Amino acid sequence: MTRREIDSPYAWFRLAVSMLLGTLGGAGMWSVVVALPAVQADFHAERGAASLPFTLTMIGFGVGGVFMGRLADRRGIVLPVLIGCGSIAAGYGLASVSTNLWQFSAAYLFIGMFGTAATFVPLLANVSLWFEKRRGIAVALCASGNYLSGAVWPAIVEPLIRAHGWRTAHLAVALICLLAMPPLALLLRGPPPQRATGAPAPAAIHRKIDLSPAMAQSLLAVAGLACCVAMAMPQVHIVAYCGDLGYGAASGARMLSLMLSLGVVSRIASGFLADRLGGLMALVIGSAAQMAALMLYLMMDGLTSLYVISALFGLFQGGLVPSYAIIVRESFPAREAGGRVGVVMMMTLLGMALGGWMSGAIFDATGSYRAAFANGIAWNALNLLIALFLLSRSAVSVPRLAIARRAGSAAE
């Protein structure tokens, strides 16, 4: 692990550490989903108001990702991750002593902006610098830390809430993150990656978007917003939805864990797709599949059906978010990775925030989640249209060094 080269065993070691940090740091996204029914009851809030902490977490996550990504571009990966460690512990401590919903929401805004944000965008951008030949699968695996978080934390937090209450559960999360995360962050110290001596650039498929950088970035941002408004409906409200149907919050928590566990499989599969077909094609496939799963939620609401659909939703949608990071790395210079990935990720997280709040507000207005699922399908359709347009304005290119190598082989 001393050879700090691109695509080296040390690069894979850094990827493993980054996945662990993402799993721990992602607690801010998923603990609030599991705690939603208990917090709503404790503070006597409506469903839309009780969704506010998640909404503010996503807003903080998105905005903080831009600044943390730029900080990583300038100062390296360790500083933002250490800031995130302290912020997560402090935020959960503050949430545990909240006396009203606004204080609880403010604590989660802090967790998202300075904590969870530091363990996603900076890590994605940093990992992308250490890989070329397997960049797609590496970025997808790193992003899977966020979904592993969704598989692990609900299984920890829900029993804690049931046995000891949501306040004690929040203190437990603070302690776990404070003890586990700083040592992992320090393992990422070191100089930037190097290319192995004499190693040529690997032959890789890239899609160059035939648009101005500003237009390409803007369309990717809108696409990210739209896909995550749709994605938020099941992820944020599945626990409450199961409670409303009479299946209980525990069933909803298990569905969420199943959904996000299979989301890891989806992210890995999307990485293989991106390595072979490019990030844009992986985005198109994932968007179409996610929309199909949302349509199934409208058609069936039996307990067994919901488990099956949640599993399918996890398999279909997990690869969407890492696809944006791969597209950015294919289309923009490496020195801009942290900032540009941060902007697109900010929009995906704002989409999660908007979708989480919007679904709760639609439920309050209609007394049903059917209209909320239909709303998600409409936003998903917008995402798919943008992805298809970008694909139509792109052309496959291969690095010139790889072309020269192939030409030389043909001449021999």
Side-chain angles (χ1 to χ4, degrees), residues 276-323:
R276 287 156 178 77
L277 304 176
L280 274 170
M281 184 61 75
L283 177 62
V284 168
I285 293 170
S287 180
Q290 176 176 272
M291 190 162 67
L294 286 170
M295 290 176 178
L296 291 176
Y297 275 114
L298 268 179
M299 298 166 61
M300 292 173 279
D301 62 4
L303 181 60
T304 301
S305 298
L306 286 175
Y307 271 108
V308 172
I309 297 168
S310 295
L312 290 173
F313 188 81
L315 284 172
F316 292 162
Q317 54 80 41
L320 284 167
V321 171
S323 294

Side-chain angles (χ1 to χ4, degrees), residues 39-371:
V39 170
Q40 179 183 358
D42 199 10
F43 293 136
H44 307 289
E46 292 186 341
R47 185 66 51 80
S51 301
L52 182 63
F54 179 85
T55 299
L56 291 178
T57 302
M58 294 298 100
I59 291 173
F61 192 174
V63 174
V66 177
F67 293 106
M68 291 298 181
R70 289 176 178 170
L71 180 62
D73 285 341
R74 291 166 172 76
R75 299 291 299 276
I77 188 63
V78 175
L79 178 60
V81 175
L82 286 176
I83 291 172
C85 299
S87 299
I88 289 171
Y92 272 94
L94 291 170
S96 72
V97 297
S98 301
T99 59
N100 57 60
L101 185 61
W102 290 105
Q103 291 177 5
F104 184 80
S105 300
Y108 266 94
L109 175 64
F110 181 82
I111 291 169
M113 184 172 292
F114 299 105
T116 305
T119 60
F120 189 64
V121 168
L123 291 172
L124 281 183
N126 185 260
V127 162
S128 76
L129 301 176
W130 286 85
F131 292 87
E132 287 186 350
K133 186 176 181 181
R134 293 287 180 264
R135 181 180 293 152
I137 188 63
V139 170
L141 284 169
C142 184
S144 295
N146 180 261
Y147 266 24
L148 286 171
S149 180
V152 170
W153 283 114
I156 295 172
V157 172
E158 195 276 331
L160 281 173
I161 292 175
R162 188 160 19 96
H164 305 289
W166 64 265
R167 296 181 187 276
T168 300
H170 278 70
L171 282 175
V173 174
L175 184 60
I176 292 169
C177 292
L178 186 61
L179 292 176
M181 293 178 69
L184 290 170
L186 294 176
L187 291 175
L188 299 179
R189 290 178 298 177
Q194 303 169 351
R195 189 180 302 282
T197 304
I205 293 176
H206 297 285
R207 287 186 174 271
K208 179 67 175 177
I209 300 173
D210 186 21
L211 296 168
S212 70
M215 178 60 71
Q217 175 98 57
S218 298
L219 286 174
L220 284 172
V222 175
L225 176 79
C227 86
C228 289
V229 169
M231 191 184 298
M233 173 55 238
Q235 289 187 0
V236 178
H237 290 273
I238 192 68
V239 177
Y241 185 42
C242 285
D244 293 341
L245 292 173
Y247 303 137
S251 293
R254 286 192 289 269
M255 287 180 201
L256 181 63
S257 291
L258 175 64
M259 183 189 302
L260 297 172
S261 297
L262 291 173
V264 176
V265 177
S266 175
R267 290 196 163 178
I268 294 171
S270 75
F272 281 109
L273 278 176
D275 282 334
R276 287 156 178 77
L277 304 176
L280 274 170
M281 184 61 75
L283 177 62
V284 168
I285 293 170
S287 180
Q290 176 176 272
M291 190 162 67
L294 286 170
M295 290 176 178
L296 291 176
Y297 275 114
L298 268 179
M299 298 166 61
M300 292 173 279
D301 62 4
L303 181 60
T304 301
S305 298
L306 286 175
Y307 271 108
V308 172
I309 297 168
S310 295
L312 290 173
F313 188 81
L315 284 172
F316 292 162
Q317 54 80 41
L320 284 167
V321 171
S323 294
Y324 297 111
I326 296 164
I327 293 166
V328 168
R329 285 294 287 114
E330 290 174 347
S331 307
F332 300 99
R335 66 182 180 275
E336 301 173 4
R340 288 194 179 275
V341 170
V343 170
V344 179
M345 292 299 109
M346 176 183 71
M347 295 303 291
T348 66
L349 294 164
L350 290 178
M352 290 293 290
L354 177 61
W357 168 81
M358 188 181 292
S359 297
I362 291 172
F363 175 88
D364 288 338
T366 65
S368 168
Y369 276 121
R370 289 190 61 82

